[in-house]
């Protein structure tokens, strides 16, 4: 009995020792795993000085010519502290921060790479064509804007002493949309020219490339001259006050008295509801007559999810008529959209549009019924093909059909448009371009068919050469011929037959100062049918890094034009 009791006690002692051993081994293993996981972090760190690891607190210290990369973030600096647990970076000295396509340079930085927000002091950066400087740049996430800069200045000029710049108390950057400055001043050199409560630099999409670029980088009016209108002064002023009110003024005036002005405003009442106003005024001279327009419109626009409804009330002060508009748009799915529009004059329905459009794969389609326009459809369907890049040429086409009315003439119509083009590199600097547009209009009226075809052929050759590092020469010769077959049943289908020869020659002489050059361009258009020059111009232009001025002479119309553009 005593022996059994001793065996049981010994077993218990061994069991307890075994449990303690398991706990020790498990704890030690977890420590090894934790240390290993901390050492193998998803980052790349290099430094010419010291690199220290505090594994217990998850901290990293580095000095002298530091390079730190993690995710889409790249930092170069002289002193770095990284908190892996908090995903926070503190950097000092000669900082270069690269975030995807954004590069910021500054003196000190606090940045959270988990949330994508942070602050840089004495910073500068470049976004598209604008160079920014600021006392503090804040990068933010979860807002409509990407960055906010205090005590900022921005300019398209690339020199350390810019020709002109905009200084602002605060700047907000909305990627691919706009740059908003608050309490701004426009400076030429070291002289302040004008103060404004706000200014907006907008992005505009290039029609050829589809790329968005900043285009109104200066609030200074453009000044020009030509022999027909005399002096021409134009201004484009977009603005934004706070987060809710924004607008734009686009106006011009000429020495002979012509005037144009468009004033638009938008006020965000709620995230879904916006109030809008638009005033248009113009005065033009044509054949010793004065044509005037004066139209005011205002209304509300409601947008939620896939639905947008806009209602407008307006008044034409020249014709003394009321105008009302109702516009409804609904995105039925990712492949289809619905549009309904009614336009009224003195409460009488004058314009109506019902449209379905969308895409099937790479093909775009449109079904439209409209009345009260230059060309009415009852209805008309169109199909747009994608651009096919074939071995011999590129191909794109549009086809459609339906019932249409144009200037009182109604007919059933079919349409086929074919576009073929190709660009060939014949030698270094020598290109040959070919483009053929064929439009076929098919008409069915009173049980009979007819057709009308338009052939628009274009052939061009370009040759460019660089003479050293300073002089570029480019010459081109383009030939265009438009022929037709048959008779157009609808007036607006009529195309003018032409045969034109268009020569061009340009010289660019680059100066030592960055972005500076002299440009000389000679262009003309000769009508081979009528045997006379339709146009002939000589342009001399002086480009600086952020503005230019030019002199253009029209040899055919014997006119002169002068322009200064910021």
């Amino acid at each position: 009995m005593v022996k059994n009791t001793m065996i049981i006690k010994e077993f218990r002692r061994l069991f307890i020792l075994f449990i303690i051993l398991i706990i020790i081994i498990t704890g030690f293993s977890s420590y090894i795993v934790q240390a290993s996981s901390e050492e193998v972090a998803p980052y790349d760190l290099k430094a010419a000085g010291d690199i220290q690891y505090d594994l217990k607190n998850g901290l990293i210290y580095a000095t002298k010519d530091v390079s730190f990369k993690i995710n889409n973030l790249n930092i170069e600096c002289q002193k770095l502290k990284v908190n892996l647990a908090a995903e926070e970076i503190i950097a000092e000295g000669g900082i270069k921060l690269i975030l995807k396509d954004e590069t910021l340079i500054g003196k000190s930085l606090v940045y959270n790479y988990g949330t994508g927000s942070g602050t840089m002091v004495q910073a500068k950066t470049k976004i598209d064509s604008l160079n920014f400087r600021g006392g503090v740049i804040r990068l933010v996430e979860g807002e409509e804007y990407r960055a906010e800069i205090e005590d900022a200045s921005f300019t398209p000029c690339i020199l350390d002493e810019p020709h002109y710049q905009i200084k602002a108390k605060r700047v907000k950057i909305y990627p691919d949309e706009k740059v908003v400055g608050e309490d701004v001043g426009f400076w030429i050199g070291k002289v302040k020219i004008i103060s404004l409560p706000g200014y907006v630099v907008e992005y505009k999409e290039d029609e050829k490339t589809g790329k968005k670029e900043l285009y109104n980088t200066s609030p200074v009016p453009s000044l020009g001259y030509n022999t027909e209108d005399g002096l021409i002064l134009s201004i484009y002023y977009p603005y934004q006050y706070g987060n809710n009110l924004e607008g734009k003024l686009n106006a011009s005036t000429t020495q002979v008295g012509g005037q144009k002005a468009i004033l638009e405003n938008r006020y965000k009442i709620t995230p879904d509801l916006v109030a809008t106003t638009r005033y248009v005024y113009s005065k033009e001279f044509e054949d010793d007559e004065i044509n005037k327009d004066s139209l005011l419109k205002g209304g509300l626009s409601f947008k939620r999810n896939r639905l947008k409804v806009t209602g407008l009330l307006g008044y034409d002060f020249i014709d003394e008529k009321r105008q009302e508009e109702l516009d409804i748009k609904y995105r039925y799915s990712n492949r289809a959209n619905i549009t309904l529009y009614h336009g009224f004059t003195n409460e009488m329905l004058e314009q109506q549009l019902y449209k379905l459009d969308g895409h099937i794969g790479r093909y775009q389609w449109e079904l439209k019924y409209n009345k009260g326009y230059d060309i009415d459809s009852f209805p008309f369907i169109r199909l747009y093909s994608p651009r096919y890049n074939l071995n011999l040429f590129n191909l794109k086409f549009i086809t459609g059909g339906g019932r249409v009315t144009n200037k009182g003439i109604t007919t059933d119509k079919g349409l086929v448009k074919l576009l073929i083009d190709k660009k060939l590199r014949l030698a270094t600097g020598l290109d040959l371009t070919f483009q053929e547009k064929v439009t076929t209009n098919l008409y069915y009226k009173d049980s009979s068919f007819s057709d009308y075809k338009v052939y628009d052929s274009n052939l061009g050759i370009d040759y460019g050469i660089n003479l050293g590092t300073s002089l570029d020469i480019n010459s081109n010769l383009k030939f265009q011929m438009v022929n037709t077959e048959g008779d157009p049943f609808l007036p607006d289908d009529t195309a003018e037959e032409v045969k034109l020869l268009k020569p061009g020659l340009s010289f660019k002489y680059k100066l030592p100062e960055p972005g500076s050059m002299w440009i000389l361009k000679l262009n003309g258009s000769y009508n081979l049918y009528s045997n006379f020059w339709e146009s002939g111009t000589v342009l001399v232009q002086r480009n600086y890094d952020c503005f230019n001025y030019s002199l253009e002479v029209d040899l055919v119309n014997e006119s002169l034009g002068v322009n200064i553009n910021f």
Side-chain angles (χ1 to χ4, degrees):
M1 184 70 179
V2 175
K3 186 177 180 180
N4 290 337
T5 302
M6 292 178 62
I7 293 173
I8 292 172
K9 288 182 178 180
E10 184 67 21
F11 178 80
R12 287 177 177 174
R13 187 174 66 85
L14 292 173
F15 181 78
I16 292 172
L17 290 174
F18 178 77
I19 294 299
I20 293 173
L21 182 61
I22 292 296
I23 293 173
I24 293 173
I25 293 173
T26 304
F28 184 73
S29 300
S30 64
Y31 172 77
I32 294 174
V33 172
Q34 181 180 358
S36 300
S37 63
E38 289 180 350
E39 290 176 0
V40 188
Y43 60 80
D44 179 29
L45 175 62
K46 298 176 182 178
D50 296 330
I51 299 178
Q52 299 178 2
Y53 297 90
D54 182 350
L55 298 180
K56 181 179 180 180
N57 297 306
L59 301 176
I60 303 174
Y61 301 89
T63 59
K64 194 176 181 181
D65 298 335
V66 182
S67 174
F68 179 78
K69 299 178 182 179
I70 187 168
N71 300 331
N72 294 319
L73 170 72
N74 186 2
I75 292 179
E76 297 176 7
C77 62
Q78 295 302 312
K79 187 177 180 180
L80 178 73
K81 175 184 175 182
V82 182
N83 188 326
L84 295 174
E87 298 182 322
E88 184 181 70
I89 296 170
I90 300 176
E92 297 179 6
I95 299 169
K96 185 177 182 180
L97 172 65
I98 302 174
L99 291 165
K100 295 182 181 179
D101 297 330
E102 299 174 325
T103 300
L104 290 86
I105 296 173
K107 183 178 180 181
S108 64
L109 169 72
V110 177
Y111 184 77
N112 188 297
Y113 57 85
T115 63
S117 59
T119 301
M120 181 178 285
V121 177
Q122 294 184 17
K124 61 181 180 179
T125 185
K126 182 175 182 179
I127 299 177
D128 295 323
S129 60
L130 287 182
N131 298 288
F132 293 86
R133 294 177 182 267
V136 176
I137 293 182
R138 292 187 178 89
L139 300 173
V140 297
E141 285 291 335
E143 299 286 346
E144 292 182 356
Y145 56 92
R146 178 68 182 95
E148 183 179 50
I149 310 175
E150 294 183 359
D151 299 324
S153 67
F154 58 94
T155 176
C157 302
I158 61 177
L159 302 179
D160 292 334
E161 296 293 334
H163 298 286
Y164 66 89
Q165 61 182 318
I166 296 174
K167 295 183 179 181
K169 182 178 180 180
R170 184 179 294 104
V171 169
K172 292 180 179 178
I173 300 172
Y174 300 74
D176 293 333
E177 184 182 354
K178 58 187 175 182
V179 175
V180 179
E182 301 175 10
D183 191 11
V184 305
F186 181 77
W187 295 67
I188 295 181
K190 297 182 179 180
V191 179
K192 187 176 183 180
I193 303 300
I194 188 174
S195 294
L196 297 169
Y199 186 69
V200 178
V201 180
E202 298 177 318
Y203 282 84
K204 187 176 182 180
E205 185 173 307
D206 188 282
E207 295 181 356
K208 294 182 179 179
T209 64
K211 183 180 178 181
K212 290 186 176 181
E213 297 178 347
L214 294 165
Y215 75 103
N216 59 310
T217 56
S218 166
V220 172
S222 297
L223 182 64
Y225 172 85
N226 64 49
T227 52
E228 181 179 353
D229 298 316
L231 289 174
I232 304 170
L233 183 67
S234 60
I235 184 172
Y236 180 69
Y237 174 48
Y239 50 87
Q240 178 173 319
Y241 302 133
N243 295 322
N244 296 328
L245 177 62
E246 62 181 28
K248 59 183 69 175
L249 170 65
N250 194 349
S252 64
T253 183
T254 66
Q255 188 176 359
V256 297
Q259 297 174 346
K260 291 182 180 179
I262 300 175
L263 178 62
E264 298 176 311
N265 285 289
R266 287 169 46 90
Y267 182 78
K268 187 184 296 183
I269 302 172
T270 69
D272 298 328
L273 187 63
V274 176
T276 63
T277 61
R278 175 182 170 90
Y279 177 69
V280 179
Y281 174 82
S282 68
K283 183 175 72 172
E284 297 178 335
F285 298 91
E286 184 177 355
D287 298 330
D288 297 328
E289 293 185 359
I290 300 177
N291 298 321
K292 286 186 177 182
D293 285 316
S294 181
L295 177 63
L296 175 65
K297 288 184 179 181
L300 296 173
S301 179
F302 175 82
K303 183 178 181 181
R304 179 174 293 176
N305 299 327
R306 298 180 177 184
L307 176 66
K308 182 178 180 181
V309 181
T310 302
L312 297 174
L313 298 176
Y315 188 77
D316 189 327
F317 293 94
I318 303 300
D319 295 334
E320 298 182 348
K321 293 181 179 180
R322 299 187 308 276
Q323 295 185 0
E324 302 88 24
E325 296 181 39
L326 175 64
D327 188 10
I328 301 175
K329 291 182 172 64
Y330 182 73
R331 185 164 57 89
Y332 180 74
S333 67
N334 292 331
R335 296 185 177 182
N337 304 290
I338 302 172
T339 301
L340 181 150
Y341 173 81
H342 280 181
F344 301 84
T345 300
N346 289 338
E347 301 177 5
M348 297 292 294
L349 180 61
E350 290 200 344
Q351 285 187 322
Q352 48 187 314
L353 167 67
Y354 310 93
K355 185 174 72 171
L356 294 173
D357 66 272
H359 65 88
I360 302 174
R362 296 173 61 196
Y363 285 83
Q364 302 289 324
W365 61 271
E366 176 188 87
L367 176 63
K368 181 171 66 174
Y369 176 99
N370 65 285
K371 188 176 181 181
Y373 296 81
D374 291 337
I375 299 179
D376 294 333
S377 308
F378 306 106
F380 201 90
I381 187 170
R382 281 184 173 87
L383 181 67
Y384 303 83
S385 82
R387 179 183 173 90
Y388 291 100
N389 299 315
L390 307 178
N391 291 330
L392 297 178
F393 52 82
N394 304 311
L395 173 67
K396 184 178 181 179
F397 67 85
I398 302 171
T399 184
R403 171 158 289 197
V404 296
T405 295
N406 177 219
K407 296 181 179 178
I409 301 174
T410 301
T411 183
D412 294 319
K413 176 182 174 180
L415 173 68
V416 178
K417 286 187 177 182
L418 187 65
L419 173 63
I420 300 172
D421 66 88
K422 186 65 176 180
K423 184 176 182 179
L424 298 173
R425 173 58 58 92
L426 303 179
T428 302
L430 182 62
D431 296 323
L432 179 67
T433 304
F434 166 77
Q435 185 183 78
E436 180 73 21
K437 299 177 185 177
V438 181
T439 302
T440 302
N441 300 283
L442 302 171
Y443 309 106
Y444 181 73
K445 179 75 172 180
D446 298 331
S447 301
S448 63
F449 287 94
S450 62
D451 67 326
Y452 176 65
K453 296 184 178 68
V454 180
Y455 302 92
D456 187 350
S457 305
N458 295 267
L459 183 66
I461 186 167
D462 292 86
Y463 179 67
I465 186 173
N466 307 113
L467 299 179
T469 58
S470 299
L471 182 61
D472 297 340
I473 302 176
N474 183 270
S475 61
N476 59 79
L477 182 63
K478 297 180 180 179
F479 173 75
Q480 181 186 16
M481 183 171 64
V482 178
N483 289 328
T484 63
E485 288 183 7
D487 296 316
F489 196 82
L490 299 176
D492 283 3
D493 288 341
T494 305
E496 180 185 2
E497 292 192 343
V498 297
K499 186 184 288 187
L500 300 174
L501 199 61
K502 302 176 182 179
L505 181 64
S506 68
F507 301 86
K508 292 183 180 180
Y509 182 73
K510 300 175 184 177
L511 300 173
E513 186 179 77
S516 295
M517 67 181 70
W518 281 99
I519 298 175
L520 173 64
K521 291 184 178 181
L522 299 93
N523 291 291
S525 178
Y526 186 77
N527 193 319
L528 296 173
Y529 280 148
S530 305
N531 293 322
F532 76 95
W533 286 95
E534 291 189 346
S535 67
T537 59
V538 178
L539 173 72
V540 180
Q541 182 170 304
R542 174 67 163 95
N543 281 12
Y544 291 86
D545 60 324
C546 52
F547 76 98
N548 67 73
Y549 58 84
S550 62
L551 171 68
E552 185 174 26
V553 180
D554 189 330
L555 302 175
V556 175
N557 297 315
E558 298 181 350
S559 62
L560 177 69
V562 179
N563 287 286
I564 302 176
N565 298 305
F566 288 91

